[in-house]
C-alpha cells in the first residue's frame, strides 16, 4: 500500500476534481475502482468517502453505492449566501493589503488568463474557483481556506448541474477588478465587487428553468390517464 496515500488525500483529490468540473453531480464513485486507482484498500476508500459524505459532497444509496451529490436549487442558494458572508468578511479589514498579497493574487489571475487562452477547461475551472481560496490564504485567514474551498466546491457543483452561463473570461475580469480595488486600498469597493461577482455567478445558474422542468415532468407523470 502506498505510504503517501491516506483517506484525506483521496478526499482532497475528489474535491479538486469537483472544482475542476471533472466530476459531475450524480456521478458514481465505485469503491473498487477508487481502490485500484489509488492502490489502496477498499477500507481506506470507504473512510475517504465517509469524510466526503460528512462534508456534503457524496451520498450513499442503499444497494447502489456512492454518488456525487446533486444540490437542489435551495441548497445552491444557501451555499452562495454562505460564500457572501465569508468572503465579505475576508475583505472587511480596512487598509491597504501587503504588496506580496497583491503580487500573489495578480499572479493567480495571470494563470487564470493563461488557462483561458489555452482552452484547458479543467485547469481553467479549477483556477477560477481557487482564486477565492487563494484570497483567503493571502489575506491571512488560513482557518477559512478549508471552509471556503468546500463552499466553492458546492457552488461549482451547482454551476455544473444547472448549466451556468457565466463566462470564464467574465470571472477572470471580475477577479482582476477586485484585486485592483484592493491595490488602491479601497477595501469597500473590493468587497462590493466581490459581492457583485458572486451574485453574477449565482444569477447565471439555470435553477428556475430546472425547477420548472421538474414540475413539468411531475405534472406529466401524474396526469390522469385517458381511459376509454
Amino acid at each position: 500500500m502506498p505510504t503517501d496515500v491516506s483517506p484525506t488525500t483521496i478526499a482532497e483529490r475528489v474535491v479538486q476534481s469537483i472544482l475542476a468540473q471533472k466530476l459531475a453531480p450524480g456521478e458514481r464513485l465505485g469503491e473498487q475502482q477508487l481502490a485500484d486507482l489509488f492502490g489502496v484498500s477498499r477500507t481506506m476508500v470507504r473512510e475517504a468517502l465517509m469524510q466526503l459524505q460528512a462534508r456534503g459532497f457524496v451520498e450513499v444509496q442503499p444497494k447502489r453505492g456512492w454518488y456525487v451529490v446533486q444540490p437542489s436549487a435551495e441548497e445552491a442558494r444557501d451555499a452562495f449566501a454562505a460564500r457572501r458572508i465569508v468572503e465579505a468578511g475576508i475583505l472587511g479589514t480596512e487598509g491597504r493589503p501587503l504588496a506580496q498579497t497583491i503580487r500573489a493574487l495578480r499572479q493567480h489571475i495571470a494563470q487564470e488568463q493563461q488557462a483561458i487562452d489555452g482552452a484547458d477547461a479543467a485547469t481553467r475551472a479549477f483556477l477560477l474557483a481557487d482564486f477565492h481560496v487563494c484570497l483567503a490564504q493571502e489575506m491571512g485567514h488560513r482557518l477559512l481556506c478549508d471552509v471556503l474551498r468546500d463552499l466553492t466546491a458546492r457552488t461549482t457543483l451547482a454551476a455544473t448541474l444547472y448549466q451556468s452561463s457565466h463566462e470564464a473570461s467574465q470571472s477572470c475580469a471580475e477577479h482582476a477588478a477586485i484585486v485592483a480595488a484592493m491595490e488602491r486600498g479601497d477595501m469597500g469597493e473590493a468587497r462590493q465587487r466581490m459581492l457583485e461577482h458572486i451574485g453574477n455567478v449565482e444569477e447565471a445558474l439555470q435553477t428556475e428553468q430546472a425547477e420548472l422542468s421538474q414540475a413539468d415532468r411531475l405534472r406529466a407523470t401524474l396526469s390522469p390517464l385517458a381511459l376509454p
Side-chain angles (χ1 to χ4, degrees):
M1 180 183 301
T3 58
D4 58 340
V5 177
S6 69
T8 299
T9 57
I10 295 172
E12 290 311 314
R13 183 79 66 84
V14 171
V15 173
Q16 185 181 73
S17 295
I18 289 173
L19 288 167
Q21 297 185 329
K22 294 196 294 183
L23 268 179
E27 191 162 341
R28 188 175 185 276
L29 296 173
E31 287 184 11
Q32 189 59 56
Q33 289 90 337
L34 287 172
D36 293 341
L37 176 64
F38 289 98
V40 298
S41 67
R42 290 184 65 168
T43 299
M44 183 175 290
V45 166
R46 201 170 294 119
E47 289 178 19
L49 290 169
M50 290 174 67
Q51 285 185 21
L52 291 165
Q53 183 183 35
R55 292 163 67 180
F57 291 122
V58 302
E59 59 185 1
V60 62
Q61 299 181 13
K63 299 182 180 180
R64 294 190 64 202
W66 297 88
Y67 292 81
V68 179
V69 298
Q70 301 184 68
S72 66
E74 182 179 357
E75 289 169 337
R77 286 190 288 267
D78 189 38
F80 277 105
R83 277 188 58 183
R84 287 188 182 89
I85 294 169
V86 173
E87 300 196 56
I90 289 172
L91 293 171
T93 304
E94 297 300 328
R96 191 184 302 272
L98 295 174
Q100 64 186 31
T101 297
I102 299 298
R103 188 162 52 249
L105 292 173
R106 286 205 174 280
Q107 182 178 4
H108 196 286
I109 291 170
Q111 292 173 343
E112 294 175 21
Q113 190 61 60
Q114 286 177 355
I116 291 170
D117 295 339
D120 183 342
T123 303
R124 178 174 67 231
F126 176 80
L127 286 172
L128 289 170
D130 188 60
F131 169 81
H132 300 270
V133 182
C134 179
L135 175 66
Q137 182 174 340
E138 295 301 328
M139 290 291 287
H141 298 282
R142 300 187 188 282
L143 290 177
L144 288 177
C145 286
D146 290 340
V147 173
L148 198 50
R149 184 178 292 105
D150 281 13
L151 287 175
T152 305
R154 285 171 178 263
T155 56
T156 299
L157 282 174
T160 305
L161 180 62
Y162 296 110
Q163 301 177 345
S164 173
S165 61
H166 198 261
E167 294 288 340
S169 57
Q170 182 182 351
S171 276
C172 186
E174 290 169 356
H175 292 168
I178 293 165
V179 175
M182 293 171 64
E183 191 169 21
R184 293 193 299 271
D186 192 342
M187 298 303 288
E189 182 185 348
R191 186 164 56 252
Q192 184 59 37
R193 293 262 187 183
M194 176 64 80
L195 292 174
E196 290 173 357
H197 168 58
I198 296 172
N200 290 339
V201 175
E202 182 177 12
E203 288 171 8
L205 303 184
Q206 310 300 315
T207 53
E208 291 184 6
Q209 181 178 345
E211 288 175 330
L212 287 173
S213 298
Q214 186 176 16
D216 289 341
R217 286 196 300 272
L218 183 62
R219 188 178 298 109
T221 301
L222 297 181
S223 61
L225 298 176
L227 297 173

